[in-house]
Amino acid sequence: MRELCWSLWKQRWAFFAYVVMVAVGAGMIYQVMDGYSLFEMGYRTAFVLLQLIFMLLQRERFRIILRKESAHRFYRSMPNARKKEQKRFVWLDVYCAAMLAVLLTAGIIFKNEFVDGSVPFAMVVYFLVYVPTSRIIACVPYVWWMTELVFAAVFLFVPAFDISPMLCVGTAVAVGVINVLLYRFVRKLWDTED
Amino acid sequence: MDSVIVAKGLVKKYKKFTLGPVDLEIPKGFSTALIGANGAGKTTLLDTICGIVAPSKGEVTYFGEITDIEEGETKERIGYQAAQGMYPMSWTPYDVAMANKLGFTGFHEERYWELCKKYGVASEGEKKQTLMKMSDGNRIRLCLAAVFARDTELLVLDEPGSNLDPLMRDRLCGQFREYLEEGDGEKTILFSTHNIADMENVTDYAILMYDGAVIESGFVNELCERYVLVSGERATFDKIKRSLLVEDRNMSTCFGFAKAEEKEKLEAAGTVVETPNLQQLCIFLLRYAEQQNS
C-alpha cells in the first residue's frame, strides 16, 4: 500500500496535468456553448494556462533554490539529511498548490465571476504581489521580477479589463501577506520536522 | 587497536576522478591526519565517510557497529567541518547558530558564542555580517566555532588549518589537544591537510594519499621508523642508487630516501642515515608515488 501511494505520489504532476487539461477542455466547451467567440475563448483559456505556467515556473525557481541550499555540506551533515531533503520538495509542492488555490480564489471571490474579467484580475494580483513577495522570500532574480512588474502595470491600466485599481491593490496586499505567511509556515515545518 | 571508523573497499567515482578502492582504519582516541597533495582525494574521502556524498562501492563501519550513517543518531556523534561551501554565503553567525540548534541536539549556543569571541570572528548575536563579507580565514574560524560547540565523539575536519594565521593555527592545535584530553580516549579527530608542518605536533596517526589511493598509513613514530633519510656526497650516491626510493641530487650534498631495511647497507657505504620527521616523510613518499605513476 505504501509503495502504491509512493508511486502515485511520484506521478502527481502527470495527474495534475490531466486534471488541468480536463478543466480547460470543459471550460472551453462551456464557453462555446455560452456563445463566446473563438477569439474570446482562446484569450481566456490562454490566461488560465499562463497563470498555471507561471506557477510552475515559480515552483521550479524554488526547487533550484532548495537544491542549492541542500547542496551545502552543512545540510548534508545533519541527521536524516536525505529524508529531510525529500520532504522539503514535498512541502514545496504543498506550498505551490496552496498558493495557486489562493490566487484563483482571490480572482473568483473579488470579481464574483470567474470568466468575465477575473482572469486578468488574478494575473494582476499574481504579477503585482505574488512575484515580488516571492522575490523577497526566496531571492528570485531581480530582472525577472522587474519584467513581471512591467506586465502587471500593463494589465492594471488597460481599460478594456475594467479593473478597479483600489480593488487590485487591496487584494494584492492580502495575497502578498498570505504568501509570506504561508511560506514562513511551510518553511518552519520543513526546518523543524524530524 | 580500537577503531572509530573502518572503511573497506570504499570507492567514489566521478567523471574525471575515482577515489579508491580505499581500506583504512581510524584509531579511536587519537588525532589522525589525512595528508596528500591537492586533488589527491582527501575531501572526497572525508565527504564519503561523513555521508555528504554516497559511495559508489564499499562499506564504512562507524563506532565499531554502525554501517549506515543515516541510522539513528550517528551524525549527531560526528562533527563535520568542510573546507568551503559549508554554509550558504548569505548566512550570518546568528543564522549558523540557529541552524545548528535546529539540526543537532548536542549544540551549545553559549559555547558557540564564547568560541566566536575567542577566535575573534563575531560578537554574540551577530546578525549583520554575512559569510560573504568575511575573509576565508574568518569563515573557517566560524565553522570551527560551530563544530567545537557540539557534543561529538568524532571530529572530521577538512583542511582546518588552511587560511588561518599562525596564531590561530596554534590556538587550533590547543583546541585539538583539549578535545582529545576531554574525551579521555573516547574522542577522535580526523583532519585533512596538504601542509603537515603546521599540524605535525597534533598528529598521532597519519594516512598518506596520492591520486585517490592510500599509499601509507600508521602511527607517526612507527611510520617514520619504516623509512630513512639519507645524505651524502654525489660519488657515494652513485654506489647506493639501487637502495634509494627517491633521490635529490640538485645540491652539493645529495639527499635520498630509502626503506629502513637498507639502513646498515647505506651506513656501510658512508652516507649519513637519519630517521625522517613527518613532513620529510610525506614529501619523499609523495614524490616516490609520483615517480612510480609517471
Side-chain angles (χ1 to χ4, degrees):
Chain A
M1 187 63 190
R2 206 177 154 184
E3 276 175 25
L4 178 73
C5 289
W6 178 239
S7 63
L8 284 174
W9 175 252
K10 280 198 284 190
Q11 299 292 319
R12 63 196 182 280
W13 287 104
F15 286 121
F16 180 70
Y18 176 73
V19 170
V20 169
M21 275 164 63
V22 170
V24 169
M28 286 168 88
I29 293 165
Y30 167 77
Q31 287 176 61
V32 172
M33 284 167 69
D34 221 33
Y36 281 94
S37 72
L38 206 64
F39 171 75
E40 283 171 321
M41 185 192 70
Y43 150 83
R44 288 185 177 85
T45 309
F47 269 118
V48 174
L49 286 176
L50 254 180
Q51 189 152 0
L52 286 171
I53 287 165
F54 275 117
M55 192 69 222
L56 289 176
L57 280 176
Q58 196 75 353
R59 177 178 169 271
E60 269 318 297
R61 287 192 218 172
F62 278 115
R63 278 182 75 87
I64 291 165
I65 291 160
L66 269 186
R67 223 176 259 145
K68 270 189 191 165
E69 207 176 65
S70 302
H72 285 284
R73 287 180 159 88
F74 170 69
Y75 281 102
R76 295 198 185 272
S77 71
M78 279 178 9
N80 304 314
R82 285 178 210 285
K83 215 191 277 175
K84 274 181 183 163
E85 194 180 343
Q86 282 173 355
K87 279 189 181 173
R88 279 175 186 196
F89 288 118
V90 173
W91 280 119
L92 175 66
D93 286 344
V94 172
Y95 162 71
C96 287
M99 215 40 232
L100 188 63
V102 169
L103 285 170
L104 291 173
T105 315
I108 295 164
I109 291 174
F110 282 90
K111 285 299 279 187
N112 216 12
E113 47 187 14
F114 185 66
V115 179
D116 288 329
S118 68
V119 174
F121 171 79
M123 290 299 287
V124 171
V125 172
Y126 174 82
F127 283 134
L128 202 61
V129 173
Y130 176 63
V131 175
T133 48
S134 296
R135 151 140 178 89
I136 295 161
I137 57 186
C139 305
V140 292
Y142 186 70
V143 178
W144 200 338
W145 170 50
M146 287 307 287
T147 320
E148 284 171 338
L149 212 60
V150 171
F151 271 115
V154 171
F155 278 114
L156 192 60
F157 295 106
V158 172
F161 292 142
D162 189 27
I163 300 165
S164 151
M166 282 307 287
L167 188 64
C168 256
V169 172
T171 317
V173 171
V175 172
V177 170
I178 291 170
N179 187 28
V180 175
L181 290 179
L182 186 65
Y183 183 80
R184 285 176 74 103
F185 174 67
V186 170
R187 184 82 222 212
K188 205 169 178 180
L189 279 178
W190 79 45
D191 276 344
T192 52
E193 73 175 342
D194 198 24
Chain B
M1 175 176 87
D2 270 356
S3 301
V4 72
I5 281 176
V6 179
K8 279 181 189 165
L10 198 64
V11 175
K12 177 67 191 172
K13 280 183 185 169
Y14 287 114
K15 264 187 189 172
K16 290 181 181 172
F17 176 77
T18 302
L19 169 80
V22 169
D23 293 299
L24 61 83
E25 288 189 33
I26 310 295
K28 189 178 174 182
F30 295 98
S31 170
T32 298
L34 195 59
I35 308 158
N38 293 323
K42 304 185 296 289
T43 300
T44 309
L45 180 60
L46 294 186
D47 282 357
T48 315
I49 286 174
C50 291
I52 309 297
V53 292
S56 311
K57 255 187 208 172
E59 195 181 71
V60 184
T61 308
Y62 305 87
F63 308 106
E65 50 185 1
I66 306 154
T67 49
D68 180 9
I69 192 158
E70 297 293 340
E71 192 185 298
E73 299 302 305
T74 314
K75 279 188 176 174
E76 288 277 2
R77 297 162 75 182
I78 302 173
Y80 170 80
Q81 177 248 310
Q84 50 188 328
M86 180 73 180
Y87 299 106
M89 294 298 256
S90 57
W91 282 16
T92 63
Y94 177 79
D95 296 328
V96 171
M98 290 304 112
N100 272 286
K101 219 171 156 184
L102 275 171
F104 302 99
T105 48
F107 178 76
H108 301 281
E109 198 183 342
E110 268 177 37
R111 204 196 295 168
Y112 166 76
W113 289 118
E114 261 171 38
L115 287 168
C116 280
K117 208 174 162 189
K118 187 177 163 186
Y119 297 164
V121 66
S123 50
E124 191 167 344
E126 175 64 58
K127 283 183 185 175
K128 281 184 184 168
Q129 199 182 21
T130 59
L131 266 77
M132 180 109 72
K133 288 176 191 163
M134 286 182 184
S135 66
D136 289 344
N138 273 356
R139 265 179 235 145
I140 297 270
R141 285 170 197 227
L142 190 78
C143 292
L144 288 168
V147 83
F148 277 112
R150 283 178 50 206
D151 291 331
T152 52
E153 288 170 48
L154 167 66
L155 283 183
V156 180
L157 312 171
D158 192 7
E159 306 278 1
S162 63
N163 296 315
L164 294 182
D165 58 74
L167 190 68
M168 184 57 208
R169 262 201 306 267
D170 184 57
R171 204 171 276 167
L172 178 66
C173 291
Q175 194 88 50
F176 272 27
R177 278 184 227 108
E178 209 175 284
Y179 180 83
L180 293 172
E181 276 167 25
E182 253 176 35
D184 197 21
E186 294 298 314
K187 290 185 174 183
T188 309
I189 298 175
L190 168 63
F191 69 96
S192 71
T193 181
H194 52 253
N195 187 8
I196 191 61
D198 300 330
M199 312 287 284
E200 192 168 345
N201 59 345
V202 283
T203 306
D204 303 313
Y205 192 88
I207 298 169
L208 271 82
M209 287 189 75
Y210 179 82
D211 197 23
V214 172
I215 52 167
E216 190 62 283
S217 64
F219 282 99
V220 175
N221 291 343
E222 290 170 16
L223 204 59
C224 291
E225 279 167 15
R226 278 182 216 165
Y227 298 92
V228 287
L229 189 67
V230 190
S231 56
E233 286 174 9
R234 195 172 275 264
T236 324
F237 260 59
D238 286 333
K239 292 178 203 164
I240 56 162
K241 201 178 174 184
R242 284 192 176 179
S243 305
L244 298 173
L245 298 172
V246 181
E247 57 178 320
D248 199 343
R249 294 192 182 209
N250 294 331
M251 292 163 249
S252 55
T253 310
C254 300
F255 287 95
F257 185 65
K259 286 196 173 170
E261 297 98 88
E262 305 283 341
K263 195 176 174 183
E264 282 176 18
K265 197 175 162 187
L266 293 166
E267 276 174 339
T271 55
V272 179
V273 180
E274 293 169 279
T275 305
N277 62 29
L278 186 59
Q279 195 188 2
Q280 289 165 329
L281 181 85
C282 293
I283 293 169
F284 279 109
L285 271 179
L286 293 176
R287 273 183 61 186
Y288 177 61
E290 201 175 54
Q291 199 175 286
Q292 296 290 101
N293 202 37
S294 60

